[in-house]
Amino acid sequence: MDRGLRFVCCVITTVLLLRESSQAGERNGPKMLTASKSGFALLYRALTVALSLRAQEDPYVMVRSAELEGYCVDLLKALAAMLHFSYKVKVVGDGQYGAVSSSGNWTGMIGEILRQEADIAVAPLTVTSAREEVVSFTTPFLQTGIGILLRKDTVSQEMSFFHFLAPFSKETWTGLLFAYVLTCFCLFLVARLSPCEWNEPKNEENHFTFLNSLWFGAGALALQGVTPRPKALSVRVIAAVWWLFTIALLAAYIANFSALLGSGSEQLPIQTFEDLVKQRKLEFGTLHGSSTFYFFKNSKNPVHRMIYEYMDKRRDHVLVKTYQEAVRRVMESDYAFIGESISQDLAAARHCNLIRAPEVIGARGFGIATTQASPWTKKLSVAVLKLRESGDLDYLRNKWWESSCLQRSREGWSPLQPQALGGLFLTLAVGLALGVIAAVAELANKSRRAAGHVKKSCCSVFAEEVCARLRVKADARQGQEAAGRATA
């Protein structure tokens, strides 16, 4: 009986525990399932991506064969593949990037995000403090600045009279002059010392005078064969090394001079924004409502303030609505466009008659805009960093900024410094040393043979040969030795 009672109690207890567990599962189960579904929807929801009509420009967003392509499109595809989300593209109605209107509302893509008509904006959207206050930005995917886009023939000026000296620096020209004089002197010295070149100093005339040696060296610079022709091995060694030196030197000069003429850097009187303000030939402006315009408006720099005042007074005439209009105006009129340097680099790469001035100010970046406190901000930032670390961003940059102009960029050119020709100068020095050593060896060999015939020491015969070849009189030399002994 006791055992039966205990069994019934255990069964009742077990049933009660199972019922409580079932009720707890009913209470907790829907919440866990909802959270799971919510997370699934957040990860795979169809995001609305804002694109501006003004952003439909080469190479960011372009419409070809009824399909979108470009840098931003490829970037969006890479992010979607990495974060596993789908998206639909929404074109912004007013075609603006985003600025505060007179009514105090934001226009463009920023306004679309604030009104929750779009989730993210993928475009060359500059990260600014004003925009950061109302939306969130990811890590920049492109770095840029503010530059000046010009047409080459509108800013070209007459080349300097000594423009042909520009390929080499002053130090390089000084080194070349020293190398030329030293080589010609070594030719003159070796031709006099070598018995194979000048066997009988008393009866023969040495054709390698110093003036003839200078002429021989100058002929090699012009790639012309000139007389006298070397006969001795030592002289030929120096001549061969000098010929090698001149060939490499001329190749470097021609290459650098061609790059200089192609780049046109020496023809740009407008190098900085201060130069742009001082000139009166070119009008200049920027995109209406762009961050570049507000950069000059908010700047405390006097030069920047002058640029803003100029553009503000003539806003109806100098401010443009689209980037394509700006490039077209630069190409067709006396107009300088102030805008993003990375976009100007693309214009200069696609239109070989355009050029960007060297100065770049206001370093900034292009970022992806999202709503504030959006969970996508960090996800997209991490994804952008991963694309940068893997080299995918560099690949996209090279893909869409490929140049069609067969010339070196202006920033890549600079006068050739002596360090660039260091190996060439070293080769010439070694060749000169070998030539001198060979000439001394040839003269020593002849002196040794002559010493056996005249029964004199080899050193004395060698000294006599040197004096004879250098036109030093033996009696004068003996008088100097006697004077030296008397003084001692």
Side-chain angles (χ1 to χ4, degrees):
M1 184 70 181
D2 294 337
R3 291 182 179 179
L5 182 62
R6 284 198 299 270
F7 176 76
V8 172
C9 293
C10 290
V11 171
I12 294 174
T13 304
T14 303
V15 171
L16 292 176
L17 291 175
L18 289 175
R19 184 178 180 182
E20 291 179 0
S21 176
S22 176
Q23 291 175 353
E26 291 177 357
R27 290 192 300 269
N28 298 331
K31 292 184 178 179
M32 295 174 63
L33 183 59
T34 302
S36 176
K37 288 184 177 180
S38 176
F40 183 88
L42 179 63
L43 188 61
Y44 288 93
R45 61 172 295 192
L47 295 179
T48 301
V49 180
L51 289 178
S52 172
L53 285 174
R54 193 170 68 186
Q56 292 186 14
E57 61 190 19
D58 188 6
Y60 299 106
V61 180
M62 299 168 288
V63 181
R64 293 179 182 175
S65 302
E67 293 184 358
L68 294 176
E69 64 177 30
Y71 180 92
C72 291
V73 177
D74 287 351
L75 176 62
L76 183 58
K77 291 179 180 178
L79 293 174
M82 182 176 294
L83 298 179
H84 306 289
F85 67 84
S86 60
Y87 59 90
K88 59 180 180 179
V89 175
K90 180 182 185 299
V91 177
V92 179
D94 59 6
Q96 300 292 319
Y97 287 135
V100 181
S101 63
S102 58
S103 61
N105 298 321
W106 281 86
T107 63
M109 287 182 284
I110 303 298
E112 297 272 347
I113 293 177
L114 291 176
R115 294 188 296 270
Q116 297 184 353
E117 298 175 7
D119 297 304
I120 63 174
V122 182
L125 193 61
T126 306
V127 180
T128 63
S129 59
R131 291 172 177 172
E132 188 73 50
E133 289 180 353
V134 294
V135 298
S136 296
F137 281 97
T138 64
T139 301
F141 56 86
L142 273 179
Q143 298 295 334
T144 183
I146 300 177
I148 309 171
L149 184 66
L150 309 159
R151 196 173 78 246
K152 290 181 180 179
D153 56 357
T154 60
V155 295
S156 61
Q157 62 181 8
E158 186 178 356
M159 295 183 182
S160 64
F161 191 72
F162 296 100
H163 190 68
F164 68 93
L165 298 176
F168 291 161
S169 64
K170 296 179 180 179
E171 294 80 6
T172 303
W173 283 116
T174 303
L176 294 179
L177 179 61
F178 177 76
Y180 168 70
V181 174
L182 179 62
T183 301
C184 294
F185 177 77
C186 288
L187 276 173
F188 164 74
L189 179 63
V190 170
R192 299 183 75 86
L193 292 179
S194 174
C196 300
E197 188 70 37
W198 195 25
N199 189 27
E200 295 294 337
K202 297 180 180 179
N203 303 325
E204 296 180 3
E205 181 181 359
N206 192 328
H207 297 289
F208 268 98
T209 63
F210 187 67
L211 290 179
N212 286 344
S213 299
L214 291 174
W215 179 245
F216 183 89
L221 284 172
L223 300 181
Q224 300 294 321
V226 295
T227 56
R229 301 183 183 278
K231 297 180 292 183
L233 175 62
S234 55
V235 182
R236 289 179 177 179
V237 168
I238 294 180
V241 173
W242 177 245
W243 289 337
L244 176 64
F245 180 85
T246 55
I247 291 174
L249 178 68
L250 289 174
Y253 178 85
I254 293 173
N256 219 32
F257 193 57
S258 300
L260 170 61
L261 294 179
S263 66
S265 61
E266 293 297 322
Q267 306 176 47
L268 271 183
I270 299 178
Q271 301 281 336
T272 64
F273 284 88
E274 185 175 359
D275 297 334
L276 183 64
V277 173
K278 292 180 179 178
Q279 59 84 37
R280 293 294 180 266
K281 181 180 179 181
L282 300 179
E283 296 179 324
F284 53 88
T286 186
L287 290 175
H288 185 276
S290 64
S291 60
T292 302
F293 180 81
Y294 289 100
F295 170 84
F296 289 100
K297 179 180 180 180
N298 300 326
S299 176
K300 303 300 182 182
N301 187 301
V303 175
H304 299 172
R305 293 296 304 174
M306 293 174 64
I307 293 176
Y308 167 73
E309 292 172 1
Y310 174 90
M311 295 190 298
D312 188 52
K313 292 179 181 179
R314 302 167 177 83
R315 61 169 55 232
D316 294 335
H317 184 58
V318 299
L319 297 183
V320 294
K321 296 181 180 179
T322 64
Y323 181 78
Q324 291 87 343
E325 179 186 352
V327 174
R328 184 173 61 254
R329 189 168 176 180
V330 172
M331 296 179 64
E332 297 176 355
S333 62
D334 294 338
Y335 181 78
F337 174 61
I338 302 175
E340 303 291 347
S341 61
I342 192 169
S343 300
Q344 294 175 348
D345 289 338
L346 176 72
R350 301 293 170 83
H351 307 281
C352 300
N353 61 332
L354 299 182
I355 191 171
R356 179 173 62 79
E359 186 180 31
V360 176
I361 62 175
R364 55 185 65 185
F366 291 155
I368 300 174
T370 65
T371 58
Q372 286 189 332
S374 171
W376 285 101
T377 306
K378 185 174 182 180
K379 293 175 182 288
L380 292 171
S381 294
V382 174
V384 168
L385 291 175
K386 289 182 179 179
L387 291 176
R388 179 177 298 166
E389 293 169 355
S390 63
D392 291 340
L393 292 184
D394 293 334
Y395 167 76
L396 293 180
R397 176 70 163 79
N398 296 332
K399 173 184 176 181
W400 293 105
W401 268 260
E402 183 179 2
S403 175
S404 60
C405 302
L406 300 178
Q407 62 183 40
R408 291 174 59 183
S409 63
R410 180 184 62 264
E411 289 98 353
W413 181 89
S414 61
L416 203 61
Q417 299 296 325
Q419 294 83 354
L421 300 175
L424 198 58
F425 280 104
L426 179 61
T427 302
L428 179 63
V430 172
L432 296 180
L434 291 177
V436 173
I437 294 173
V440 173
E442 291 170 352
L443 185 59
N445 186 36
K446 180 184 177 182
S447 301
R448 186 169 58 255
R449 291 196 305 267
H453 294 292
V454 299
K455 306 300 182 181
K456 291 184 179 180
S457 66
C458 181
C459 293
S460 60
V461 175
F462 181 81
E464 291 174 0
E465 285 284 346
V466 172
C467 293
R469 292 174 181 279
L470 297 180
R471 307 289 187 183
V472 179
K473 295 183 179 180
D475 53 351
R477 178 173 173 269
Q478 293 174 358
Q480 292 176 357
E481 292 178 354
R485 288 195 296 269
T487 304

